[in-house]
Amino acid sequence: MTTLSRFSSRQLGKNGPVVTSPALGGMSLSGAYGAVDDEEGVRVIHAYLDAGGTLIDTGDFYGAGHNEMLIARALRERSRDDVVLSVKFGALLTPVGMPAGFDGRPEAVKSSLTYSLQRLGTDHIDIYRPARLDPQVPIEETVGAVQEMVEAGYVRHIGLSEVGAETIRRAAAVAPIADLQIEYSLLSRGIETNGILDICRELGIGITAYSVLGRGLIGGSGTVDGSLGRMPRFQGDNLDHNRALVTALEEIAAAKGVTLAQLAIAWVAACGEHIVPVIGSRRVSQVESMVGANDVVLDDADLARIDAAVPVGAARGDRYPTQFMGQLDSER
């Protein structure tokens, strides 16, 4: 049974759902950053829900469907009405798991949705979003197909992911957009300078920020597991430089009596009431740390010190390998 919530509540966009902040990201429970244990994964999801969390983010390609089935297992004994499920679709996989492009065709939208509904064991998805822009399909067609599923009752709200300001405006002209999912952290602040943050504020679109902990650079174990070794920020001199940036935050966290991870989560949450951090947790202890971030209050002096320690553009190395950076409409 859910206890009194230890989370704050925020609305995703002017027309979107009210959710808890932070959200729980599911990708790390399906092997993205090293070995996982399904039993612990279920415990992680239960711990999040038991603390009062509501927003769970996944993708139909996380573990080639594994993540959705794990979430379905965890929710089997829970009330569906107590959970907001956010699902990304459209990434094409190969047998070795690497993305092979994206499919945003209307017929693919409906097919992907059908599989997700089955794997999740539900009759609707609360927020449904293309994982990336399909360069061969106008965003109007992809969003229009999701809107048809909204009208049919299979989807409640429409989201976007990793798209730029122009694409956001075009999508919002077709249907109400609840939120944009995009990387945003102390080490990834591009949306502050490329117009994405501004357009979301203008149009009343929420932001669900992922990789808030810099894929473990902030407050992590220090090991480079799973796919991290392919990330430019985790390679050579880039890694040394970025670790030094994080070290500069330790004094600030210590003065607040919080962990580095909690400081980073609180910083993202403090950047706007329309922003919800999405935190990927593989262990119950990480959920407890995430919840504790809600107790961190950052005043103007704290924010100024943080900004001085890690200013915009301070991190070195692209946030994805070169071939994947080219697939990001948000980086064009």
Side-chain angles (χ1 to χ4, degrees):
M1 180 177 293
T2 301
T3 60
L4 181 65
S5 179
R6 296 171 59 197
F7 292 80
S8 61
S9 294
R10 298 189 171 190
Q11 184 172 6
L12 289 180
K14 59 185 179 182
N15 299 308
V18 174
V19 300
T20 54
S21 175
L24 177 66
M27 185 170 70
S28 61
L29 297 177
S30 292
Y33 301 120
V36 293
D37 177 335
D38 282 359
E39 298 301 324
E40 180 69 1
V42 169
R43 287 191 289 269
V44 164
I45 295 169
H46 284 173
Y48 175 75
L49 296 174
D50 289 342
T54 63
L55 178 57
I56 299 177
D57 180 79
T58 185
D60 62 9
F61 50 95
Y62 290 175
H66 170 271
N67 201 243
E68 290 180 318
M69 291 186 285
L70 180 69
I71 291 169
R73 175 182 167 190
L75 298 185
R76 203 168 291 149
E77 305 296 327
R78 305 299 175 115
S79 170
R80 176 67 180 86
D81 292 338
D82 291 340
V83 182
V84 178
L85 290 176
S86 169
V87 179
K88 292 179 289 297
F89 69 89
L92 302 176
L93 298 179
T94 66
V96 295
M98 297 297 289
F102 301 90
D103 192 346
R105 295 172 302 141
E107 55 267 40
V109 170
K110 297 168 186 177
S111 178
S112 296
L113 175 63
T114 302
Y115 281 108
S116 285
L117 291 171
Q118 178 68 27
R119 284 190 293 259
L120 287 164
T122 185
D123 63 356
H124 72 279
I125 289 172
D126 298 285
I127 312 170
Y128 201 51
R129 72 183 79 243
R132 298 287 188 270
L133 178 69
D134 181 343
Q136 305 303 317
V137 180
I139 190 64
E140 291 86 351
E141 293 185 15
T142 304
V143 169
V146 181
Q147 177 61 21
E148 289 181 22
M149 297 297 93
V150 171
E151 294 166 0
Y154 297 114
V155 172
R156 298 285 169 82
H157 303 279
I158 303 172
L160 299 171
S161 179
E162 286 289 356
V163 291
E166 179 185 353
T167 302
I168 294 168
R169 189 179 295 279
R170 287 168 53 194
V174 175
I177 303 298
D179 72 297
L180 168 72
Q181 190 166 117
I182 196 163
E183 186 168 349
Y184 187 43
S185 73
L186 282 164
L187 300 177
S188 294
R189 299 177 61 178
I191 66 171
E192 296 178 23
T193 58
N194 62 12
I196 290 176
L197 190 58
D198 290 338
I199 193 69
C200 287
R201 284 174 174 153
E202 175 190 338
L203 299 178
I205 295 171
I207 290 175
T208 41
Y210 72 88
S211 292
V212 169
L213 303 180
R215 296 181 176 82
L217 270 172
I218 303 174
S221 65
T223 59
V224 181
D225 294 327
S227 63
L228 291 179
R230 296 192 295 270
M231 303 289 184
R233 288 187 177 176
F234 288 83
Q235 297 173 345
D237 292 341
N238 289 346
L239 180 60
D240 293 337
H241 171 85
N242 295 332
R243 281 175 170 166
L245 288 176
V246 173
T247 298
L249 296 170
E250 291 179 351
E251 182 179 342
I252 302 172
K256 301 292 293 184
V258 302
T259 67
L260 277 173
Q262 289 170 336
L263 184 76
I265 296 168
W267 179 85
V268 169
C271 289
E273 286 296 320
H274 64 306
I275 301 175
V276 174
V278 179
I279 310 301
S281 300
R282 283 193 285 173
R283 296 182 295 277
V284 171
S285 60
Q286 292 173 327
V287 176
E288 295 168 352
S289 175
M290 175 210 308
V291 175
N294 281 300
D295 300 325
V296 181
V297 178
L298 300 177
D299 59 25
D300 289 344
D302 294 324
L303 295 173
R305 289 186 67 197
I306 292 169
D307 192 63
V310 188
V312 175
R316 287 184 186 169
D318 287 337
R319 53 196 183 96
Y320 285 103
T322 301
Q323 66 268 35
F324 298 138
M325 287 294 289
Q327 297 173 344
L328 297 177
D329 183 65
S330 55
E331 292 289 336
R332 296 188 181 120

